[in-house]
Amino acid sequence: METVTTRSGIELAFDRVVGGDAGTVILIGGAFSYRRFPKLVELAEKLAADYRLTVINYDRRGRGDSSDSPGEYDVDNEIEDLAAIVDAAGGRAAVFGWSSGAGLALRAAASGRVPGITKVVAFEPPFVVDHDNFVPSADLAEQLHALIAANKRAEVVRFYMAKGMGMPRIFGLLMPLTPMWKHLLATAPATAHDWAIMADFMRGAALRPEDWAGVRVPTLVISGAKSDALLRTAARAITAVLPDASHRELAKLSHNPDIGLLAPVAGEFLVDAPQPAH
């Protein structure tokens, strides 16, 4: 484990898997994720072994071995965090984001505050661009923050899965019976950071090109044919408004992905003619 401290004093923990001379990619997990989440570890190892990439897998603030800013939930904070990780990577890196981590990758690239980003892979960012499926409630942040402040972690997990992610309520009821429950409880307070990233783009409104014009690096948006319609729609919508983006929808892939299907598509894009940072 390595660490880096941001300008605001947040200590971020990360692992570095050295694969070769094909460049560096930073993995950004989504809600309830952390750097030792098995599928992130598998993805890191596969990108390093098969594509000679150096892969940095980090704990976003409030997760794993990274510190947090309780009560302070702002996307700018996580963009600052990512900038610190890029600096720790040597100042230039591609980013691979999963779910709300993909939202963070795209928002960081659009902000212009992380000029070292060279490419973006966005795996199923959960934008909600219409009212055909699920739209979170307008007061979600207020309820979520209150549950977190009261340290009601089990309720946070169930609430965010149902109200922030649109999962059937039964999933939240069954999760305590699974081995991952303890990890969900550990990362539950960090869901407020996920919501800070995604809230403005989960209102059922079309994405606007002007919000994403700053993403000037090559971008690959990936979705799975087995994923919910909301996520497949979101992938097409964000691809359409990005300046330099392509979209791949993979058969047999879901939001809980088979890394053997996901890694080759991401890896080939990441090592193909890397572009200079803008």
Side-chain angles (χ1 to χ4, degrees):
M1 186 184 82
E2 301 178 58
T3 62
V4 63
T5 302
T6 71
R7 288 180 299 176
S8 59
I10 295 293
E11 186 174 83
L12 301 171
F14 65 94
D15 297 324
R16 190 188 313 247
V17 184
V18 179
D21 59 358
T24 299
V25 59
I26 297 165
L27 305 186
I28 310 173
F32 302 109
S33 186
Y34 54 101
R35 81 179 195 281
R36 290 179 178 165
F37 181 69
K39 291 207 171 183
L40 281 177
V41 173
E42 183 184 355
L43 178 61
E45 292 174 348
K46 195 161 186 64
L47 291 175
D50 294 353
Y51 297 94
R52 307 185 335 278
L53 288 159
T54 291
V55 186
I56 290 183
N57 194 3
Y58 79 105
D59 281 324
R60 288 170 51 196
R61 66 171 61 197
R63 305 156 193 256
D65 295 303
S66 292
S67 60
D68 199 6
S69 53
E72 297 179 13
Y73 309 118
D74 191 316
V75 64
D76 287 342
N77 293 333
E78 289 222 67
I79 291 173
E80 178 186 283
D81 294 350
L82 182 56
I85 293 291
V86 171
D87 287 344
R92 286 171 50 82
V95 292
F96 175 105
W98 179 349
S99 196
S100 57
L104 174 56
L106 291 165
R107 294 199 66 178
S111 74
R113 294 171 51 202
V114 195
I117 292 176
T118 58
K119 286 186 176 182
V120 175
V121 179
F123 175 52
E124 297 195 333
F127 300 116
V128 179
V129 299
D130 55 36
H131 288 260
D132 292 346
N133 296 284
F134 158 77
V135 180
S137 62
D139 62 349
L140 187 145
E142 180 180 349
Q143 296 181 66
L144 178 63
H145 295 175
L147 290 172
I148 291 171
N151 200 30
K152 296 181 178 180
R153 295 193 177 208
E155 291 185 41
V156 170
V157 174
R158 296 187 182 100
F159 176 81
Y160 197 77
M161 283 185 168
K163 303 299 184 180
M165 301 170 71
M167 296 174 66
R169 187 170 176 270
I170 188 64
F171 280 91
L173 297 175
L174 293 176
M175 283 299 172
L177 305 177
T178 70
M180 66 187 301
W181 180 243
K182 63 180 180 180
H183 300 297
L184 295 173
L185 293 178
T187 55
T191 54
H193 298 301
D194 295 289
W195 186 245
I197 293 164
M198 297 305 306
D200 290 346
F201 304 98
M202 295 183 73
R203 299 303 188 196
L207 300 177
R208 304 183 307 169
E210 55 266 34
D211 291 331
W212 307 100
V215 186
R216 300 190 180 114
V217 296
T219 300
L220 174 65
V221 181
I222 302 175
S223 59
K226 293 177 66 177
S227 294
D228 290 344
L230 183 150
L231 294 169
R232 302 197 310 273
T233 297
R236 293 190 294 270
I238 187 62
T239 303
V241 298
L242 289 169
D244 183 8
S246 57
H247 173 222
R248 290 281 305 275
E249 183 166 293
L250 305 182
K252 301 182 181 180
L253 197 72
S254 72
H255 200 61
N256 181 25
D258 179 336
I259 299 302
L261 299 175
L262 179 60
V265 176
E268 289 167 13
F269 172 78
L270 291 166
V271 301
D272 179 32
Q275 300 295 314
H278 291 269

